[in-house]
């Protein structure tokens, strides 16, 4: 951040000498973006557009800044302007940006753009992202089977695509396809054996399937990986009564209560 701040100071000094230098304004705007100072970045881009109102690079940059400001309608308008321009050189990128941010305001448009990009792109390094993006859009539209198909295609292109596996597991759970949930969670745990959320998700699945011994093993593993995740003791306490092990349930409830109390934070600092 210090480097960007120093760069901004240099650009500002240079702009005092040549206030209409578009390259300096562009560079300072990019530096402001890196610092997430989107209001000042927008100010610089608007100065650029007053000098060159039809510059596509500036319009696209303004669209990116609008996304940082969560002004998605304005961002989509700028990306659409670039897409509709016959001289645009990076039209595919404008389509991608419009697809991503249309998900906030216009889901059918996002599906349209992702689909177009999928049809035009053969690079698996981009395709897996496009299928994942369209899958997310279908999920928001409630078209679960289409979402699942896209997540599977994304995984076929990138076998360690953890985010797609996570979405698959959730959607299979919604459909009560528990065998599929288990297969997906097992793969996730193989890919990232230190992630306790995946392990406890599988534990909850085992509970759903009345496989309480397996549920307990998963939660014990999660606690071994993160001993300070005291809330897990509450859930562990729920499993033991199903096995008529009331004392163990009380033990975990006691830990959860003690470690969740205001005094526990005090003692942790001693």
């Amino acid at each position: 951040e210090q480097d960007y701040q120093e760069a901004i100071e240099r650009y500002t000094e240079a702009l005092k000498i040549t206030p209409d230098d578009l390259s300096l304004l562009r560079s300072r705007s990019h530096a402001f973006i890196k610092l997430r100072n989107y209001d000042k970045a927008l100010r610089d881009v608007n100065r650029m557009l007053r000098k060159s109102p039809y510059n596509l690079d500036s319009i696209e940059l303004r669209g990116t800044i609008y996304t940082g400001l969560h002004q998605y309608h304005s961002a989509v308008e700028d990306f659409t302007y670039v897409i509709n321009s016959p001289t645009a050189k990076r039209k595919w990128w404008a389509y991608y940006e419009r697809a991503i941010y249309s998900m906030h305001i216009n889901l059918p448009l996002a599906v349209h753009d992702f689909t177009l990009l999928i049809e035009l792109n053969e690079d698996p390094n981009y395709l897996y992202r496009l299928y994942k993006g369209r899958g997310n859009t279908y999920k928001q539209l409630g078209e679960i089977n289409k979402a699942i198909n896209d997540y599977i295609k994304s995984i076929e292109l990138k076998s360690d695509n953890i985010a797609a596996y996570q979405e698959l597991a959730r959607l299979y759970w919604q459909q009560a396809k528990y065998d599929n949930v288990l297969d997906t969670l097992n793969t996730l745990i193989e890919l990232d054996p230190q992630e306790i959320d995946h392990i406890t998700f599988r534990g909850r699945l085992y509970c759903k399937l009345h496989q309480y011994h397996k549920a307990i093993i998963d939660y014990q593993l999660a606690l071994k990986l993160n001993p300070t995740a005291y809330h897990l003791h509450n859930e562990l306490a729920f499993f033991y009564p199903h096995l008529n092990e009331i004392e163990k349930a009380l033990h975990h409830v006691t830990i959860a209560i003690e470690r969740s109390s205001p005094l526990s934070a005090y003692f942790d600092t001693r």
Side-chain angles (χ1 to χ4, degrees), residues 87-98:
T87 60
K89 296 179 181 178
R90 299 203 325 151
K91 194 170 290 194
W92 67 271
W93 181 252
Y95 269 115
Y96 182 72
E97 290 286 284
R98 190 174 75 170

Side-chain angles (χ1 to χ4, degrees), residues 183-237:
D183 289 341
T184 305
L185 289 173
N186 285 339
T187 302
L188 274 170
I189 292 167
E190 288 176 10
L191 290 171
D192 189 359
Q194 303 298 312
E195 178 52 69
I196 69 168
D197 286 344
H198 302 155
I199 297 167
T200 54
F201 191 170
R202 189 175 65 180
R204 287 192 293 275
L205 172 64
Y206 283 136
C207 179
K208 182 80 172 177
L209 298 174
H210 307 294
Q211 298 178 28
Y212 300 109
H213 283 103
K214 290 182 178 180
I216 289 168
I217 290 171
D218 272 350
Y219 271 76
Q220 288 174 335
L221 173 58
L223 279 167
K224 184 177 180 180
L225 291 169
N226 185 2
T228 62
Y230 302 117
H231 64 282
L232 298 182
H233 288 281
N234 268 329
E235 296 182 47
L236 256 177

